[in-house]
Amino acid sequence: MANVDKLTEHIGDFGPFQKKMVVLGSLPLVLIAFEFVGVVFLGHTPDHWCWSPGSKQLLQECSWTEVKVREVTVPHGEEAGSFSRCQAFELEPKPEQMRGV
């Protein structure tokens, strides 16, 4: 233990060189941390579905809920109870079709 104390006296304590090495050594760790945290936000795809142009008209004129509009305008996905995220039916309702729905 005495040799370490003598060596520390000879080399010096935590000086400017050591501070510079700590900062330069920590910089890559900070950048890598941002990359790891970014995966949390960029890797998740939220549950979504395409809104077709005629959907707004169905909501207003038929007083349907968004769930009912989605069931009519969006094709079902491969999983049971899910909807396709990338496809939508082409919907252009005619006024005579809207009355009795």
Side-chain angles (χ1 to χ4, degrees):
M1 194 68 169
N3 291 337
V4 174
D5 291 336
K6 288 181 184 179
L7 183 62
T8 304
E9 285 177 20
H10 180 68
I11 294 174
D13 287 335
F14 199 73
F17 177 76
Q18 286 82 4
K19 290 178 186 176
K20 194 182 301 182
M21 293 307 293
V22 167
V23 169
L24 291 175
S26 299
L27 187 62
L29 297 175
V30 171
L31 296 176
I32 289 172
F34 280 111
E35 183 177 336
F36 284 133
V37 171
V39 170
V40 172
F41 296 106
L42 300 174
H44 176 68
T45 303
D47 190 24
H48 67 281
W49 51 282
C50 296
W51 186 260
S52 58
S55 299
K56 187 173 183 179
Q57 187 177 3
L58 286 173
L59 280 172
Q60 291 174 349
E61 293 181 12
C62 297
S63 301
W64 284 3
T65 63
E66 286 189 17
V67 175
K68 178 68 175 169
V69 171
R70 181 175 46 202
E71 288 175 0
V72 172
T73 60
V74 180
H76 287 280
E78 295 182 15
E79 297 177 20
S82 68
F83 293 95
S84 174
R85 293 182 178 173
C86 301
Q87 297 176 342
F89 293 125
E90 191 172 321
L91 180 66
E92 292 182 22
K94 297 176 182 144
E96 60 269 5
Q97 292 174 332
M98 298 296 288
R99 285 187 219 123
V101 180

